[in-house]
Amino acid sequence: DVKVTQSSRYLVKRTGEKVFLECVQDMDHENMFWYRQDPGLGLRLIYFSYDVKMKEKGDIPEGYSVSREKKERFSLILESASTNQTSMYLCASRPTGRGYSNQPQHFGDGTRLSIL
Amino acid sequence: QQQVKQSPQSLIVQKGGISIINCAYENTAFDYFPWYQQFPGKGPALLIAIRPDVSEKKEGRFTISFNKSAKQFSLHIMDSQPGDSATYFCAALIQGAQKLVFGQGTRLTINP
């Protein structure tokens, strides 16, 4: 079974802080994703990575950066947290080269981040 | 062009009833349409998916209906049960791409 683990379930930070959200997957997947989930807006892609040290912007990358130094770990960084970044953050992974029906994205259980 | 529009935002159905959630898209390059189910405190998980070469796919009580000409697809949950209470997301994908485009989500509540 694929396991995507997000390091924190709940996190409270202050405006202006640098915030790190960590995600680890145990299935050697090439692709990893960061989404934010807000009511009425669904899941919006922030960044994704298709290989170590490779990254691509998603739909809402402003205010965020990412780091992928090892294949199993994908970090989301809020450079200077703001209150409008209060949200649920979801990490996902999937392998390359297989049909989506056989290997869909597997999600972690999310980190609920509050910026005060 | 990249959007997937989902409705309704919330839905309340009596136990045993049929739950219907609708999605519409614009980009004709989309060729894979999954539905994800998310329980409180959990990440979304793939529920059922369809490709546009078929008009319907059924897995147990869950059915996707697909209308290619209208660029619409829907999820039907037959004999809805309280355990089906969750948030449902439709999504779409372009062949060979990695990025899913998600709908806005529907919070489904099944009353006992």
Side-chain angles (χ1 to χ4, degrees):
Chain A
D1 241 16
V2 177
K3 191 158 181 66
V4 178
T5 303
Q6 294 184 231
S7 55
S8 304
R9 293 300 302 272
Y10 301 94
L11 209 51
V12 180
K13 296 291 182 180
R14 297 209 172 271
T15 303
E17 278 192 72
K18 190 169 186 176
V19 181
F20 293 85
L21 302 184
E22 305 288 344
C23 175
V24 176
Q25 50 95 1
D26 66 354
M27 286 300 291
D28 204 37
H29 288 171
E30 293 83 2
N31 304 284
M32 297 187 74
F33 308 81
W34 275 107
Y35 295 88
R36 65 177 282 176
Q37 179 179 0
D38 300 288
L41 297 177
L43 277 67
R44 293 180 293 166
L45 183 64
I46 305 171
Y47 267 98
F48 79 99
S49 168
Y50 48 93
D51 203 347
V52 175
K53 297 190 185 294
M54 307 303 287
K55 62 185 179 184
E56 193 168 313
K57 291 180 180 179
D59 300 317
I60 51 165
E62 297 78 18
Y64 303 94
S65 63
V66 290
S67 172
R68 192 157 180 213
E69 297 296 320
K70 293 185 177 181
K71 193 173 186 180
E72 67 270 18
R73 186 179 297 272
F74 192 34
S75 303
L76 179 69
I77 303 157
L78 285 65
E79 297 291 345
S80 178
S82 65
T83 55
N84 64 10
Q85 292 178 309
T86 291
S87 186
M88 170 69 83
Y89 289 87
L90 290 162
C91 176
S93 74
R94 78 173 295 271
T96 297
R98 303 183 191 182
Y100 237 91
S101 56
N102 296 323
Q103 288 287 351
Q105 285 189 22
H106 292 269
F107 284 85
D109 288 336
T111 295
R112 187 164 291 281
L113 176 64
S114 296
I115 308 296
L116 305 179
Chain B
Q1 272 258 325
Q2 286 293 326
Q3 280 189 329
V4 176
K5 294 183 179 179
Q6 182 173 347
S7 63
Q9 190 167 343
S10 63
L11 181 63
I12 299 174
V13 175
Q14 292 299 118
K15 180 182 175 182
I18 302 173
S19 304
I20 302 174
I21 304 170
N22 300 299
C23 287
Y25 64 98
E26 289 294 324
N27 190 344
T28 55
F30 288 140
D31 68 346
Y32 179 77
F33 301 89
W35 285 88
Y36 278 78
Q37 179 187 53
Q38 182 183 31
F39 293 109
K42 295 292 187 182
L46 180 67
L47 178 65
I48 186 173
I50 196 168
R51 295 200 178 274
D53 51 349
V54 297
S55 60
E56 185 175 282
K57 183 171 181 180
K58 184 175 181 179
E59 289 184 2
R61 296 184 293 108
F62 299 89
T63 300
I64 301 178
S65 297
F66 189 86
N67 186 330
K68 190 173 181 178
S69 60
K71 291 185 282 188
Q72 294 174 348
F73 58 110
S74 59
L75 177 69
H76 297 238
I77 306 174
M78 312 300 288
D79 187 26
S80 299
Q81 299 297 312
D84 297 330
S85 296
T87 299
Y88 292 82
F89 295 96
C90 62
L93 180 74
I94 297 173
Q95 175 85 9
Q98 291 293 335
K99 295 192 289 184
L100 281 169
V101 178
F102 284 89
Q104 292 78 12
T106 296
R107 187 168 184 170
L108 174 65
T109 302
I110 307 300
N111 284 335

